[in-house]
Amino acid sequence: MSNGDIFLGEVIGTAILILFGAGVVAAVVLNYSKAKDAGWVVIAFGWGFGVMAGAYTAAPLSGGQLNPAVTIGIAIDTGNWDKVHIYIAGQMVGAILGAVLCWLVYFAQFQANADDKIAQPTLGIFSTAPAIRNVVANLITEIIATVALVLPILAFGLTKGLGVSGTAILIVSFLVVGIGLSLGGPTGYAINPARDLGPRIVHALLPIPNKGTSDWSYAWIPVAGPLIGGALSGVIFNAAF
């Protein structure tokens, strides 16, 4: 895969991921959305379908990693760091693009939300926030949840039939749904630094009415936690497998 293919694939795939993921949260939380109050299960499946659509689209170009934590885990496993920066750059650009696209899709709802008597918070559409703010607990949650994502992804690579049949991405998509349902309650399961940081930048820059703070004091946790979790996954995989 050429550097250009990798970058383009990760941009497109990650943009699709964020469009689906941020889109399902917007659908559930914004006033005047037809999916208003659909609930956490809908959000978890929306993110899972986003992984599926983004990864399948990007796979022919870049392999569809879509996540710096996955990229780091694979690099530690293989010892190949040559293209890590290209993957992560594409993922960040894609995450920003996907967040902008979500804003455009729900533009009217964002405007109506501003005019409503009870405006809904908007940061949660773009990025994560903890249910209980505790730095140590929040960081540990993100580390563990990311290991629960990246370690199985590395292990799936040992089953050659999954890659040949193309079902590995489908299984990873359901894995993301499971993480959301089981481990997402404490922090909103970023498990992907680009997924959180890119849209948070967009939230800070876009003219969203009554958008409130972008919560930069918390922003390092959904970046550091997944990166640590991805690195630990690579180390554990090398040691155990």
Side-chain angles (χ1 to χ4, degrees), residues 114-158:
D115 297 333
D116 201 7
K117 291 182 179 179
I118 304 177
Q120 299 300 309
T122 59
L123 178 59
I125 294 169
F126 295 91
S127 297
T128 61
I132 298 174
R133 196 168 291 261
N134 181 303
V135 170
V136 175
N138 300 154
L139 184 63
I140 289 174
T141 296
E142 285 295 330
I143 292 171
I144 293 173
T146 306
V147 171
L149 171 69
V150 179
L151 187 58
I153 288 175
L154 295 175
F156 294 160
L158 297 178

